[in-house]
Amino acid sequence: MNETRMSCHYSYICSDFVQCLPYDAVATIFSLCSFRDCISFTRVSTTWRAFLLGWPDLWEDLSDPKCDYSWLLSLRSPSVQGRFVHRVDMQDKDMDEQASVLEHLVDMECSALDYLRFSCNTATIHNMKALVDLAGSSLKRVDVKIIGDPRYIRALAFILKRCQSQLTHLRFQHLHAIRPLSTRLDGLALPQYSLQNITHTSLACTMDMSYLQRLVGLLVNVRSFRIDEDMIVNQEYPCQVLALLSLSLPSCQKLHICGGSDGGTSTNGTLQRIALLPVTPDSHSNTAGLRHVILRNLHTAVRSSIFATMLQRHYLTLESVIVIGCRGTITFPPLAFPNLRDIRLDHHIRINVDLVLARDLLTMLQLSSSIKSVHINCQAPFDEILSGLEGKQVLRTLVLRDSTHRGTLVRMPQAGWGQLRRISLYGASRTNNNMVNLNHNAAWTNWANAISASPCLEIVDVEVALVAAPGALQAIGYLRNLQYLRVQKAGPYVLNRNASAISTDSIIAMLQGPCRRSLRKLCLLDIMSITDDVLDAIANNLSNGLTHLQLGFPDVRVFTILQRQVVFNTAMSVTPASIRRLADEFAGKQLQYLGLRHMCWPQSSCTGEERKVLEETRKHVEDVLASTGTTVTWDHNHRCRGYAQAFGGNTG
């Protein structure tokens, strides 16, 4: 009987593998679990708790955003040493938790940190400096945000001195500083020798221009440099920061100069794209020079001469030129940029439309054979850009929009782009004004031919005038990879006299083409020839694959003006019965969004009976599509939120 009791007791003990297995085996088992699982395991038993809280690997990475490290560090085993901690990321947590964690890390004497990301204020700056003092010889990445007290603006020099041996990535922000860093205030505190190891730098702190010049002189091997220009004081002339950095950083490959306020000009996608621009080690670069230049939301105007000088100096290595939310006029030199792949100019900036300078741009585009993406949303010479890009088989994205509607578009290239995936054209003044002899204009015949010669197109986003060209809709209908088609007027104040030049038959023929098998998003706005037959063609050909659909007539004011100026060949109308048929056909299918503008909304001239029919139609459509969760909008404003979410904004 005693043997049986001993056997049971032995079995109970051995059921806990933490007690039975060797230390290395238990550590291997826990290493296969996530950090959060290990934290929850501390509640299993005192044995598990003691092992995990004394296990070095648990403390190696303190960066889980949902863990309360202040509580966890207070439970640590006495055997836990500061050398176990290698990575600390607390900047997104509240200041009280960060203060407590800093105090614990200093008490532990964490001298083996290689990554530190923290925010600190007046109450915690001393602990932050003590931690940097302890771990300075091992730190490789430092991201510090100082909030408030201007007395601690010298922390930048302190970090550079203490971390000079291993530091490769530095990000320093000092918010609300009153006094700028200057050579008088902090010049002697900077290191007196070059910082050979720093390759990535991001600075957002108030400093004097002379201080920036001295700091840049120390960064001899930096490959990525980001700075907030609004915080640089005492500049001798506008754009001096760009002039300094483009000439004084011999190893820099990525230069990002931004302003303090985004102003809504930079989307999350754009910022993510900027962050992902590659920077390679020096051993992979055959020629020294900038590869990526990003100017974003600068309050001072971009000087054309400085911008052109920067391009001329680095034309052999440049891969991306991105200018967003900046004022000024820029020019491109007539040189071959052998590695240039991406051009993005957006909001407020202008490309010089002077005849000579526009020809320089044309020459640059013709000579640069590697361009894959052109995204220009500003005043620009459309003709020269399209002519310069004609026939480039590596081009993937072509977006030309001019919100000022001053860009001229008289010529259209006949040769297409064999690899083009996206094309978007808006805002050229000639597309709206000089369309009297549309059927006899060779440029528009070339436009249809260019579409036909671009078989890989997946996104077509153009203004109404371009699809009014003979054969344009037919060419679009033959695109077998087309997934997104949007047609609308160029802007909210553009009176497009081509809204009636598109025939109902051409729309139906397009919907019956090969594109019907791949099309997922369809937007036909500001077109007066949408009829019951068009709605029936959409229901019959696209109901199985379409996920987003927006249809709409022109605004009522524009519609009235056009009726006085244009002679209609056919009756333009959509009846409630066809709208019901459209909804019934899409019921239970993949449709996620349906927008109908000016199609089922009572006008002032409607009788009481007609209003009742329209109300019943709207209710029927919403009820039928409710089972699949389809969003239905009747808003006459096509810039409403539902439309923007479905199709990416007014000129997305």
Side-chain angles (χ1 to χ4, degrees):
M1 187 172 181
N2 291 334
E3 292 179 357
T4 303
R5 288 180 178 177
M6 291 179 63
S7 177
C8 292
H9 181 66
Y10 179 77
S11 298
Y12 171 76
I13 294 176
C14 288
S15 64
D16 187 352
F17 70 89
V18 177
Q19 292 184 2
C20 299
L21 297 179
Y23 180 91
D24 291 342
V26 177
T28 301
I29 293 173
F30 282 128
S31 67
L32 301 175
C33 303
S34 67
F35 173 80
R36 295 183 187 179
D37 288 339
C38 290
I39 297 301
S40 64
F41 292 159
T42 60
R43 300 180 178 90
V44 172
S45 67
T46 56
T47 305
W48 286 42
R49 184 187 186 90
F51 180 89
L52 287 168
L53 293 180
W55 182 40
D57 288 11
L58 185 71
W59 306 100
E60 182 177 356
D61 187 354
L62 307 184
S63 60
D64 191 291
K66 295 185 178 181
C67 178
D68 184 355
Y69 284 105
S70 176
W71 164 80
L72 185 62
L73 286 166
S74 66
L75 301 177
R76 71 183 188 276
S77 170
S79 62
V80 175
Q81 302 178 26
R83 60 185 178 85
F84 296 162
V85 184
H86 296 293
R87 179 182 175 89
V88 178
D89 185 351
M90 299 287 152
Q91 198 171 97
D92 299 325
K93 298 180 179 293
D94 63 76
M95 294 302 298
D96 291 338
E97 182 179 350
Q98 292 192 59
S100 177
V101 170
L102 268 176
E103 188 174 350
H104 282 295
L105 295 177
V106 173
D107 290 341
M108 295 168 61
E109 297 184 356
C110 297
S111 59
L113 286 176
D114 55 39
Y115 180 92
L116 178 64
R117 184 171 181 263
F118 252 100
S119 297
C120 55
N121 53 21
T122 305
T124 58
I125 185 70
H126 294 296
N127 282 332
M128 188 278 294
K129 294 176 73 173
L131 183 61
V132 170
D133 203 13
L134 285 168
S137 60
S138 63
L139 276 170
K140 296 179 180 178
R141 293 173 178 251
V142 174
D143 184 345
V144 174
K145 180 191 294 185
I146 300 177
I147 301 172
D149 201 327
R151 290 176 296 171
Y152 302 107
I153 199 167
R154 298 186 181 184
L156 174 60
F158 179 84
I159 292 172
L160 291 175
K161 275 193 169 182
R162 294 298 186 274
C163 306
Q164 50 87 20
S165 60
Q166 298 290 332
L167 189 64
T168 60
H169 291 66
L170 171 65
R171 186 182 185 193
F172 183 84
Q173 302 175 72
H174 190 166
L175 308 181
H176 315 303
I178 298 174
R179 294 180 298 175
L181 276 171
S182 63
T183 52
R184 179 185 60 82
L185 173 68
D186 198 30
L188 297 178
L190 280 173
Q192 301 299 313
Y193 40 79
S194 299
L195 302 171
Q196 302 282 346
N197 296 319
I198 296 182
T199 58
H200 295 70
T201 304
S202 177
L203 300 176
C205 57
T206 306
M207 67 174 67
D208 188 86
M209 188 66 198
S210 59
Y211 186 86
L212 175 63
Q213 291 173 336
R214 180 166 180 179
L215 180 61
V216 166
L218 301 176
L219 302 173
V220 293
N221 292 323
V222 70
R223 296 198 295 271
S224 176
F225 195 96
R226 182 186 185 276
I227 192 166
D228 187 343
E229 188 198 46
D230 290 349
M231 304 183 80
I232 308 301
V233 299
N234 296 330
Q235 297 187 52
E236 297 177 3
Y237 51 86
C239 229
Q240 185 182 1
V241 174
L242 174 62
L244 169 68
L245 299 180
S246 63
L247 298 175
S248 304
L249 296 174
S251 301
C252 189
Q253 299 177 20
K254 180 179 178 181
L255 178 59
H256 185 176
I257 304 176
C258 64
S261 174
D262 188 19
T265 58
S266 302
T267 63
N268 291 334
T270 301
L271 296 178
Q272 183 178 10
R273 185 177 185 178
I274 291 173
L276 294 177
L277 290 174
V279 175
T280 60
D282 291 336
S283 58
H284 295 168
S285 302
N286 296 325
T287 306
L290 288 174
R291 294 175 57 190
H292 312 287
V293 175
I294 305 103
L295 307 180
R296 185 167 59 90
N297 307 313
L298 304 184
H299 289 172
T300 58
V302 177
R303 294 184 63 172
S304 178
S305 57
I306 294 177
F307 188 82
T309 301
M310 181 269 297
L311 294 179
Q312 290 174 353
R313 182 179 177 88
H314 301 283
Y315 74 96
L316 290 175
T317 57
L318 271 174
E319 297 180 11
S320 303
V321 177
I322 302 175
V323 183
I324 303 173
C326 303
R327 295 179 292 108
T329 303
I330 60 176
T331 59
F332 287 84
L335 301 171
F337 290 69
N339 297 303
L340 187 62
R341 294 175 174 82
D342 189 0
I343 301 174
R344 185 180 183 91
L345 310 175
D346 211 346
H347 292 89
H348 310 308
I349 198 71
R350 296 180 299 168
I351 300 178
N352 202 315
V353 295
D354 176 80
L355 182 60
V356 175
L357 298 176
R359 287 177 179 173
D360 289 345
L361 174 62
L362 169 64
T363 303
M364 185 275 289
L365 293 173
Q366 288 176 333
L367 296 177
S368 304
S369 58
S370 301
I371 297 177
K372 293 184 177 180
S373 176
V374 175
H375 189 125
I376 297 177
N377 186 12
C378 62
Q379 182 178 345
F382 279 32
D383 281 340
E384 283 72 13
I385 294 173
L386 286 171
S387 298
L389 296 173
E390 183 174 5
K392 289 194 178 296
Q393 297 305 308
V394 298
L395 191 66
R396 300 291 193 277
T397 301
L398 175 58
V399 177
L400 296 180
R401 304 193 192 107
D402 183 3
S403 58
T404 65
H405 309 291
R406 296 174 183 172
T408 58
L409 183 56
V410 180
R411 305 185 298 272
M412 187 69 72
Q414 184 172 0
W417 301 275
Q419 300 297 322
L420 191 66
R421 300 294 193 273
R422 176 188 179 188
I423 188 168
S424 180
L425 296 177
Y426 282 96
S429 60
R430 299 299 180 89
T431 58
N432 292 312
N433 298 329
N434 296 338
M435 299 293 291
V436 178
N437 298 318
L438 178 66
N439 294 329
H440 304 286
N441 193 326
W444 305 115
T445 303
N446 290 345
W447 162 244
N449 293 337
I451 292 294
S452 299
S454 305
C456 296
L457 273 172
E458 299 174 358
I459 299 175
V460 176
D461 181 14
V462 295
E463 57 182 286
V464 174
L466 292 177
V467 298
L473 279 176
Q474 182 180 2
I476 292 173
Y478 278 101
L479 296 173
R480 298 181 181 276
N481 299 308
L482 187 65
Q483 300 179 20
Y484 177 112
L485 172 62
R486 176 164 63 175
V487 178
Q488 62 180 1
K489 64 183 180 181
Y493 305 108
V494 176
L495 176 59
N496 199 318
R497 295 177 174 81
N498 303 287
S500 62
I502 304 171
S503 68
T504 299
D505 292 340
S506 63
I507 297 177
I508 295 174
M510 183 268 294
L511 295 172
Q512 293 174 344
C515 74
R516 70 182 187 276
R517 300 185 181 92
S518 60
L519 195 60
R520 296 294 177 264
K521 293 188 177 185
L522 174 64
C523 173
L524 300 176
L525 281 173
D526 308 305
I527 298 177
M528 302 176 68
S529 49
I530 298 177
T531 64
D532 287 352
D533 292 337
V534 172
L535 266 63
D536 291 338
I538 292 173
N540 295 333
N541 294 284
L542 305 178
S543 61
N544 291 325
L546 207 63
T547 60
H548 297 76
L549 175 62
Q550 174 74 57
L551 301 173
F553 294 124
D555 292 334
V556 176
R557 180 183 64 84
V558 178
F559 190 90
T560 304
I561 295 173
L562 290 172
Q563 281 184 318
R564 293 199 301 264
Q565 297 184 354
V566 181
V567 178
F568 298 107
N569 297 322
T570 59
M572 312 296 178
S573 64
V574 171
T575 63
S578 65
I579 295 177
R580 286 172 174 261
R581 292 195 300 270
L582 180 72
D584 292 340
E585 190 64 35
F586 278 102
K589 303 291 180 62
Q590 304 178 41
L591 192 66
Q592 301 173 19
Y593 170 86
L594 174 63
L596 299 173
R597 179 161 65 102
H598 296 317
M599 289 190 174
C600 199
W601 202 260
Q603 305 298 326
S604 58
S605 59
C606 289
T607 64
E609 185 63 27
E610 290 173 336
R611 290 175 180 272
K612 182 179 179 181
V613 172
L614 293 175
E615 182 65 32
E616 291 176 350
T617 300
R618 290 199 299 273
K619 187 176 185 305
H620 174 80
V621 171
E622 292 172 358
D623 291 344
V624 166
L625 297 177
S627 60
T628 55
T630 304
T631 301
V632 181
T633 64
W634 309 94
D635 198 327
H636 64 280
N637 182 1
H638 70 283
R639 291 165 296 178
C640 66
R641 182 177 180 181
Y643 171 84
Q645 291 177 344
F647 291 93
N650 189 34
T651 54

